[in-house]
Structures are given as C-alpha cells and as structure tokens.
C-alpha cells in the first residue's frame, strides 16, 4: 500500500463486522486473500490496515465471493463515518469547528452520517476558494477527507450524501448505467447542467468535481486509465505528501505536454483527459483560482451565467475589452485555465464554443475530422463570412484571444515550430513555467519576424513552420485584439483615434491612417505589421476575400506563389479599375496605397529594389512620396546632364517607374497636391469620385478657378506630365489601345507627340482624339507645357518675347502669349528653322480648331458666342470658327479680338497650310500650278496669286472666290493694322497681292531719286570748282 496517503483504519469494522461467520482477519480468509493480492501481504494484522489495502486493490480480486464480501463491507463502512478508524480522531475538531453534525457515540441515524463527510468536503473546497479563509481544515483531516473520497470513487453508493441527493436523477439520466468503476459518477457529470437535473444533486456533483480538481485520484476512471502514463512520464511523485502533483491541473498539463511533444499516451487516458478538460471549461467553480481571482468580476459582469461554460466566456468577453476590464490576477487565472484545459487541441472541450459553432462546423468544416485541431483554424478562415453565425464568431474570438497570447495553445503551431522556437526564440517545454515570464505573444512575434527574413538577413524558419506562421498571421490580422503586442502598446491610441471604428478590420486601418499621430511604441508595431503586409498582403484576409474575383481572373499566377513578395498587391493595383472590381476590394487596395505613402518601407518591392539607393542618395527621408521625388530628381538630373553612369541603380529605376505610375492614379497618393487642393476639390469636384485620376482631371478642367496654391501645384503636375506623358494617367488609360496601334515603339517621352501626329487618322478612337485635343489645348496655354517647342525655340523665345517673360509669374500660365508672339515672328519669317517648324505645326493645328488658340479664345469668346455659335457647336472642328471670324471681321467691335483675327490673316499669307478653308478650296490648283514650289514662307500663296493675275490660268471657281475674299481681307487688314516698323512694312509688301506693282513703283521711285541725286551732285561739283577758281 502506498505511503503517500495515510491509512484509513477500519477499527469498528474489524471488531464488529463479519461475513458468513468469518472474521475478516481470520487466519483462513487472510491466507486465502493474501495468495490472491500479494500487495497486502506485508500489512500489519489487527488494526484494519489489511481491509484498507484490500479496498485499494479490490479491482484485482477475481474470486466472486471475496469480491462481494469486500464490496458489501465497504458499503457498510461508508454508511457511517464513525466506523472509519482514525477518521473521527483526525477530523473531530474540524467537525465541531465547521459545525458538521454530532459526534456522540450514541447517535444511531445512519443516513445523517454521510452529511458529516459532505460537510467536511464542502469546508475543504471552501477553504481552497478563499484567499484568507477564516476557518481552515487541519492537514490530517484534509488527507482523511480526500482518502475517503478516493476510496468511494469506484461506486457512487459509497458517497452517501451524493447517493441520497442523486437517487432520482440517477434513475432519470443513468438508469442503464451499471454501478462500479466510477461509471455512474461520469454519467451524472455529463448531465449536470440538464434543466431537469435537481439542484441538490447538481450541488453534490459539483462538490465531488471540486475534490477531483484537488486530487485526480478521487476520479476512479481517470486514475485507472492514466496510471501507466502518469508513471511513464513521471507526472506523479510517489512517497511524497499530497502536493501539486496530485492536482488535476498538474496531471492534465503533464500529460498534455507529452502529447504535444509527440509522445504516445493511451487512448483510454486521452479520453479521460478530454472529459475532465471539458468539465473544467464547463464549470468555472471547479477552478479555485478562478473563484479566488475573479469573484468580483463574476459578480459584476457575469452573474446568472453559471452553466455550460458561459461564465468563462463572459469573463473572456470582458477581458477582450467589450464590457469592461479584468484585474491582472483574474486574467492570469483565465490564461492558466485555458492552458490546463487546452481547448485549442479539441474544440469540443469548450462546450459553449461547440454549441455555438455546431452549424458552422457542419457546413464549412465538415471535411475535417471531429475533434481535429484544424477545426478552429477552419472556423477562423470563415470568420466574417456568410457561413459564420454571430454567436460562434463571439465565442471563437473570445477563445482565440487567449490562444494568441500563448503560442503553445495552438497545437499545430507548436508541433511544427517547437524546434524553431527553441532555436530562435529560446523557449522551453510545453508546461514549463519559465515561458510564462515572457510578454504575451512574444514567441509568436519572434517566429513571424524570422518567417519574413531573407536568407541574407539571417536564420529563417523551416518551411512547414513558416507556412504555419503565415496561416495564423493571416487569420489573426482580422482583429487587433488577437495581436497582444499591438493591443497592449496601442490601447491609448485605439481609444483616442479609433473608438468609433467598430466594424471588422477598421481598427487596424484606423491606426494606419493615424500613423503619424500614434505614440512611438504603437507606431513602431503598426509600422512593422504594415511592412509585413506589403510583403505578404494575404495577411489582410478581409481584403483577400473582397478581392477574390479579381485575384482569380487576373492575379491567380502570383496568388498561388508560396512567397508573395509584394507581387499580388502590385497586380491588384494594376487591375483596380477592371469591370469585375467590386467596391470593397477597390477601397481596400486604395487604402493600402495611401498607407504606403507614409513610409517607403511599406512598399516591399520598392524597398527591396531601392533601399541602398535611398540610404546613399536620400538619407533621413521617410515618406514614400518624398523618396520618390528625391530619386526621380536624381534620375532626371543624370539624364539631362548625360552622366556616364546613373547614380540610381537600374533595378531601382525600374521599380521607381512603377511607383511613379501608380501615384498618378489617385490624387490622394500625392499628398502635397491633395493638401493644396482640398478646398478646391470640395468646391469644384465634390461629385467626382476618387481614383482613375478623375479628381486630377476635374481640377485641370477648372484650373482658372483654382486657388493660387492649388493652381501652382496643378501647373507643376501638368509640366511633369507633358515632359513624360506616360505619367498622364488619364491619357494613357483613354488612349491605351491607340498607343498600341499607332505608337508601339514610341518611348514615354514622345508618346503624346506620336498621338498628335496620328490624331486625324480614320482609325483614331474618338475618345482618344478628344483627349489628345485637351492636351494640345493645355500645351498651347504655355510654351513650358510643350517640351518639344521649348527646346526648338529656346533661343527665339528670349530674343523675340523678352517682354512677356519679364512680366510672367512662376507656376502660372502665360495664356498663350509666348506662342502668339512666336506666331507673329513666323509670319515675319524671322524664326530659326527648328522653331519655325514647331510654330507651323501649332498654327496649322489651331487653324483647324479655335480651342487650340488660347489668345483667340480669351479675346473673342463673346464674338464666337454671338457670331459663330453654330460653327462652335460643331462636333468636329475643321476651321469653321476661324473662317466665320474672318468673314465677320467688319462686325467685330472688340479691338483685341479684331487684332487676333488680323493676326490669323497675317499668318495665312505666310503659309497656305495655316488657312485650312483656302487650302481645301485650292488643293487641286496647288497640285496643278504650284507643285514644284516648296511649301512655307508664303511661296505657294504667291504662286496662287500670280496664277490668279495670269489670265491664261484658269483656277477652280471655289479657289478663285476664296482667293479674292482673302485679298479683300488682307487689304482691310493693311488699312486697319499699319506696319509697326520697316520690317513689318517690307513683309506686307512682299506678301501683298499687288506685290509686283508695288515693287515696280518702288523701283521707279528709287531710279528717279538716283537720277536726281546724280544731277544734284554734278551741279554742286561745278559750283564748288567755280568758287575755287575765283
């Protein structure tokens, strides 16, 4: 017999009880039994020790008569505690102190004696549940009480109080359950929370369960099933006083540790462990630590929720911050209980969760074996989906809150990562208390930091551990409360900035939006998590669900990669405006783009491609937009200076281009522009949606009404776009197919130039043509927005238009003044060849569409509305408005408008191509009569004029009519707009229809003057000689 517990002496039984005429310790029976049970051979005779030993080992007795004798004798003994030798001596004082009943020897009420033991058991339980108990049960009595409970664990009849309390319930729930080996106890335990269970029986069952929690041997089935496993894994220490090794929690922790380490534990023992882990989760009152540490919280938040684990889940809900706060002792007690019961290994242990999630498991997780740890993972995968129900969602998150704070509570993670955790994070065994000293979630944080390290950065996780860490990270990212470090460090910021963000996933988005406002510790954690998301956007599980159609249709190749490396998000950004894109996905992708602007590290591909360049060229710059500007400026300067070697690496330049293009899609991705134009967006673009560069396009269309600061920013943006049209998101989007058709080999700098050249092609898409025209109108407002013109006329502009430049302001349009100035010099044929070619193109284009002439629009808007409204309303502009203004020149009253029309007439004399109406009318005549004449400098116009004067030449009637009209207009123009100087006069003569006559008159006049000069010279010479002779 074990010496770990005191022997119970059956003195009264020894003296008074016989069976079939034999004393129990008679020589004959003694010899016979000792031959069967050798364990009791050494027990002393005469004091009841032998009986105690026989009760302990009655399971080994095979002889029916002997077994029946021991059983009946045991029932008699347990009917009256006074028959238990030593029990009354050990507990006499405790019975009096606890007022547990009479101990007078003459008391004959057998049924009342079971109540005394029950009273002592309750006193023992109460003591464990009080931090500073007023009445304490003596150590000797404690041992005696637990020993009696242990000996009565086989047959519920031996627990007299429980037997009488549960007789009816036994008949109701366990009628077919055979007594013995603790079977009736277990059956009643399973029905403890049934509505029809009597309260008296439920109370008695709870007391017995509490005794089992203090000493696992009080459960016959558990002690028997796990005996060999306890010995094998050294979970109980023999020959020591009852201590923590006897506690149910220690047994469970020890055996669970063996299971988690992959050791073999018998199925019978695991079945018993499951039952008792479930028992602890069902009834919080079985855990003295919970009673002791959480009494106030239970009374305040969770009263009336005693049954089926609802109290524990209520406390879990409170600790998640949904109803209040829990004290640290209560939190620790809950965490310890979760570790003891280990519901992560089998969801059925948590009855509240099991019942709440039954329907979800049957539909979403039916492919997984019941009790498998992956059931919880499956439930997490379906969190916030249509298959999830509200109660299941709450119970699941309440449990996951605790699992997330101790990596060992996820059995799959522990199994796959225990080696990595020990190697990299210095963890210990499953039930080692040293791990409890770590910060909650510290081990998992360590694991996921190593999961995303490159090989160059140091040691990495094994493949299976990495995959498991990613799985869990993807699941837990849906709720900030499942990230212990984040919740701990960001608690104040969550309350300050995100108290109204109650929807799923909104809290993390809110913290990211307020990143610059967060306290340092919180900012670092949110920044690190965002950096991880940039590498593996699948961490954003809600975003992935919203974007599933787009991923399946456009990004399935990169989505299937085990390592994301930012490819999936890049694909989603590129396909953000597909027809299949839903609103949730688009909003999520845009939000992530906006978050990325806060720190270049949040763009994984950009960070990896350019980190060395940033350290070298842009140190101390953090914001992504500033880094992009810094690197872009460096690249541009190196290009303009034709540096032999670029300072920015090739891989960085390529990724930089991707970032620049992405930033053009939404004004919010360019913070400086967005901040400068916020009020203007509200005033002029309030109905326009963000994205697709629609806000930027709206601001361009309302540019004249914008505030000064916004106007300047928009002008700078346009200047950049014109220098590099690929950055013009709207142009590239609208003309995407036309670029493929007409400009497949054009580089980004010449894209717009190529489109302009093909603008009037019959194959040109009307929408693209309209967009090209918009960009031409923009270019003609200021020479700085036309890089080709600016380069071609860099010497002519300061030479001829210096006065305009001196009056100009930076970042504001010149409204076409410089181009108008150059047009006049073109008519005078004074421009350099390169500049002349570019101005000719501009004049030709604006002659077909009045909108391309800013000065004409500015000064003739009223005349166009009143005199040429029909022409202006035409869908296709072919010079009708310009012709209308020329025809109605005499009706124009505004001097500035009249001057613009006269300038048009002057330009048309220089080149017939800039007069589309005349050129169309005379196209055949030019072909027949002036084909050999080189275009430009008025040569073909002069050819037509000579043909008009030559009576031998017959021009087309329409051409002849248009020429005569032009001659009248030019004559009128000459009258109302005299030459400003000799050069203008000479140009008027040379371009005049009566050029030959004028030149003849001028030549005759010069000859006459020459002859007069000669005559006057002879006379003066003769007079001088005569004076000398005198």
């Amino acid at each position: 017999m074990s010496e770990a517990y005191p022997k119970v002496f059956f003195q009264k039984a020894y003296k008074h009880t016989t069976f079939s005429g034999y004393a129990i310790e008679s020589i004959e029976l003694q010899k016979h039994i000792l031959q069967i049970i050798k364990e009791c051979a050494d027990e002393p005779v005469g004091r009841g020790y032998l009986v105690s030993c026989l009760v302990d080992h009655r399971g080994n007795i095979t002889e029916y008569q002997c077994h029946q004798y021991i059983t009946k004798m045991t029932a008699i003994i347990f009917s009256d505690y006074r028959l238990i030798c030593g029990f009354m001596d050990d507990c006499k004082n405790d019975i009096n102190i606890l007022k547990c009943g009479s101990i007078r020897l003459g008391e004959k009420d057998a049924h009342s004696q079971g109540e005394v033991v029950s009273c002592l058991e309750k006193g023992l339980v109460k003591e464990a549940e009080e931090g500073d108990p007023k009445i304490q049960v003596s150590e000797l009595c404690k041992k005696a009480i637990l020993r009696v409970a242990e000996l009565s664990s086989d047959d519920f009849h031996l627990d007299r109080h429980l037997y009488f309390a549960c007789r009816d319930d036994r008949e109701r729930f366990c009628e077919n359950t055979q007594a013995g080996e603790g079977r009736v106890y277990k059956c009643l335990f399973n029905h403890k929370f049934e509505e029809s269970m009597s309260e008296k029986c439920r109370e008695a069952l709870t007391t017995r369960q509490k005794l089992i929690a203090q000493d696992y041997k009080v459960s016959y089935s558990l002690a028997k099933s796990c005996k060999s496993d306890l010995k094998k894994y050294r979970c109980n220490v023999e020959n020591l006083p009852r201590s923590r090794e006897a506690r149910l929690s220690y047994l469970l922790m020890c055996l669970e540790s063996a299971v988690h380490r992959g050791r073999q534990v018998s199925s019978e023992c695991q079945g018993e462990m499951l039952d008792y882990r479930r028992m602890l989760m069902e009834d919080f009152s079985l855990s003295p630590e919970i009673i002791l540490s959480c009494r106030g919280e239970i009374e305040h938040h969770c009263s009336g929720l005693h049954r089926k684990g609802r109290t524990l889940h209520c406390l879990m809900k409170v600790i998640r911050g949904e109803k209040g706060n829990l004290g640290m002792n209560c939190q620790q007690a809950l965490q310890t209980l979760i570790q003891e019961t280990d519901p992560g290994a089998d969801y059925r242990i948590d009855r509240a969760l099991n019942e709440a999630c039954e329907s979800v498991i049957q539909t979403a997780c039916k492919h997984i074996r019941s009790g498998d740890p992956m059931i919880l993972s499956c439930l997490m995968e379906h969190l916030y989906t249509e298959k999830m129900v509200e109660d299941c969602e709450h119970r699941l998150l309440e449990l996951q809150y605790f699992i997330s704070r101790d990596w060992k509570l996820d059995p799959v993670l522990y199994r796959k990562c225990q080696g990595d955790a020990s190697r990299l994070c210095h963890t210990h065994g499953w039930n080692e208390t040293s791990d409890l000293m770590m910060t909650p979630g510290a081990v998992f944080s360590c694991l996921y930091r190593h999961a995303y390290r490159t090989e160059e950065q140091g040691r990495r996780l094994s493949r299976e551990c990495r995959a498991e860490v990613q799985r869990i990270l993807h699941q837990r990212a849906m709720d900030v409360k499942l990230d212990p470090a984040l919740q701990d460090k960001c608690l104040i910021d969550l309350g300050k900035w995100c108290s109204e963000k109650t929807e799923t996933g909104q809290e993390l988005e809110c913290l990211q939006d307020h990143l610059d406002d967060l306290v340092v510790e919180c900012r670092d954690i949110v920044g690190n998590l965002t950096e991880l998301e940039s590498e593996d956007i699948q961490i954003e599980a809600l975003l992935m669900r919203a974007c599933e159609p787009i991923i399946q249709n456009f990004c399935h190749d990169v989505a299937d990669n085990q390592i994301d490396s930012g490819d999936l998000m890049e694909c989603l950004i590129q396909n953000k405006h597909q027809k299949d894109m839903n609103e949730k996905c688009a909003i999520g992708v845009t939000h992530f783009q906006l978050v990325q602007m806060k720190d270049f590290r949040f763009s994984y591909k950009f960070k990896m491609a350019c980190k060395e360049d940033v350290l070298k060229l842009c140190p101390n710059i953090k914001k992504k937009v500033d880094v992009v500007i810094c690197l872009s400026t460096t690249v541009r300067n190196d290009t303009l200076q034709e540096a032999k070697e670029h300072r920015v690496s090739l891989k960085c330049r390529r990724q930089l281009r991707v970032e620049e293009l992405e930033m053009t899609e939404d004004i919010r991705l360019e913070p400086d522009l967005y901040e400068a134009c916020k009020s203007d967006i509200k005033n002029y673009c309030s109905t326009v949606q963000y994205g697709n560069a629609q806000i930027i396009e709206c601001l361009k269309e309302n540019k004249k009404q914008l505030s000064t600061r916004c106007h300047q920013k928009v002008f700078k943006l346009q200047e950049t776009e014109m220098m590099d049209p690929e950055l013009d998101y709207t142009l590239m989007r609208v003309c995407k197919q036309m670029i493929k058709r007409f400009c497949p080999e054009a580089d980004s700098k010449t894209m717009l130039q190529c489109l302009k050249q093909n603008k009037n092609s019959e194959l040109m898409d009307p929408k693209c043509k309209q967009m090209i025209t918009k960009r031409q109108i923009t270019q003609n407002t200021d020479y700085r927005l036309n890089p080709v013109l600016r380069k071609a006329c860099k010497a002519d502009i300061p030479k001829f238009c210096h006065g305009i430049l001196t009056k100009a302001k930076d970042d504001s349009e010149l409204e076409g003044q410089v181009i108008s100035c150059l047009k006049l010099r073109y008519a005078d044929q004074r421009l350099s060849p390169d500049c002349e070619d570019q101005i000719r193109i501009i004049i030709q284009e604006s002659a077909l569409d009045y909108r391309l002439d800013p000065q004409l629009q500015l000064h003739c808007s009223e005349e166009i509305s009143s005199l040429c409204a029909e022409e202006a309303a035409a869908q296709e502009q072919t010079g009708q408005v310009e012709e209308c203004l020329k025809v109605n020149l005499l009706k124009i009253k505004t001097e500035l408008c009249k001057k613009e029309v006269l300038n048009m007439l002057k330009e048309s004399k220089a080149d017939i191509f800039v007069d589309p109406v005349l050129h169309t009318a005379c196209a055949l005549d030019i072909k027949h009569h002036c084909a050999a004449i080189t275009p430009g400098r008025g040569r073909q116009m002069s050819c037509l004029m000579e043909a008009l004067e030559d009576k031998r030449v017959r021009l087309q009637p329409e051409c002849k009519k248009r020429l005569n009209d032009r001659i009248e207009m030019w004559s009128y123009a000459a009258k109302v707009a005299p030459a400003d100087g000799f050069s203008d006069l000479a140009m008027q003569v040379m371009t005049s229809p009566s050029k030959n006559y004028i030149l003849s008159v001028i030549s005759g006049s010069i000859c006459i003057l020459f002859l007069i000069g000669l005559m006057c010279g002879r006379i003066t010479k003769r007079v001088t000689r005569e004076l000398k002779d005198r």
Side-chain angles (χ1 to χ4, degrees), residues 917-969:
V917 175
L918 180 61
H919 183 264
T920 302
C922 299
L924 288 175
D925 297 295
I926 293 172
K927 185 177 181 180
H928 291 154
H929 306 296
C930 308
I933 305 299
T934 307
R937 295 187 177 272
R939 287 185 286 265
Q940 288 189 338
M941 184 67 78
S942 297
C943 172
L944 286 174
M945 289 300 178
E946 290 174 0
L948 181 63
E949 292 176 2
D950 191 342
K951 294 180 180 180
R952 295 171 297 176
V953 177
R954 294 185 64 182
L955 299 176
Q956 295 292 323
E958 184 65 20
C959 178
K960 189 173 182 179
K961 179 180 178 300
R962 293 293 181 185
L963 281 173
N964 286 323
D965 290 342
R966 293 299 182 267
I967 291 171
E968 291 181 11
M969 292 178 187

Side-chain angles (χ1 to χ4, degrees), residues 35 146 148 225 270 307 382 561 568 588 605 731 753 755 814 1009:
Q35 288 176 356
L146 289 172
V148 168
S225 299
Q270 289 201 47
R307 298 181 179 182
H382 290 85
N561 294 341
L568 183 54
K605 299 191 80 171
L731 177 69
Q753 196 71 13
L755 288 171
L814 298 172
L1009 289 173

Side-chain angles (χ1 to χ4, degrees), residues 836-888:
E836 185 177 289
D837 291 342
Q838 291 302 317
I839 291 297
R840 183 190 302 114
I841 293 171
I842 290 174
I843 294 174
Q844 289 173 357
E845 291 170 345
S846 57
L848 289 169
D849 191 339
Y850 75 99
R851 294 171 299 176
L852 301 183
D853 190 336
Q855 288 290 299
L856 183 67
Q857 267 198 299
L858 179 66
H859 299 308
C860 297
S861 57
E862 293 183 5
E863 285 76 5
I864 293 172
S865 299
S866 58
L867 301 175
C868 312
E870 187 176 344
E871 290 82 356
Q875 189 172 0
E876 188 74 19
Q877 289 295 319
T878 55
Q880 312 97 307
V881 174
E882 290 84 345
E883 187 66 17
C884 171
L885 289 172
K886 291 173 185 177
V887 170
N888 291 284

Side-chain angles (χ1 to χ4, degrees), residues 253 256 335-342 406 408-409 430:
M253 293 275 281
E256 284 165 17
Q335 187 72 42
T336 302
L337 178 62
I338 298 298
Q339 187 176 10
E340 291 169 359
T341 55
D342 196 17
D406 188 347
K408 296 177 294 189
L409 297 182
W430 192 86

Side-chain angles (χ1 to χ4, degrees), residues 875-908:
Q875 189 172 0
E876 188 74 19
Q877 289 295 319
T878 55
Q880 312 97 307
V881 174
E882 290 84 345
E883 187 66 17
C884 171
L885 289 172
K886 291 173 185 177
V887 170
N888 291 284
L889 180 59
L890 296 175
K891 297 180 181 179
I892 295 175
K893 305 299 181 183
T894 309
E895 288 300 322
L896 290 175
C897 179
K898 186 181 290 185
K899 183 178 179 181
E900 287 301 318
V901 177
L902 293 172
N903 286 340
M904 280 196 299
L905 290 169
K906 186 177 179 180
E907 292 160 8
S908 65

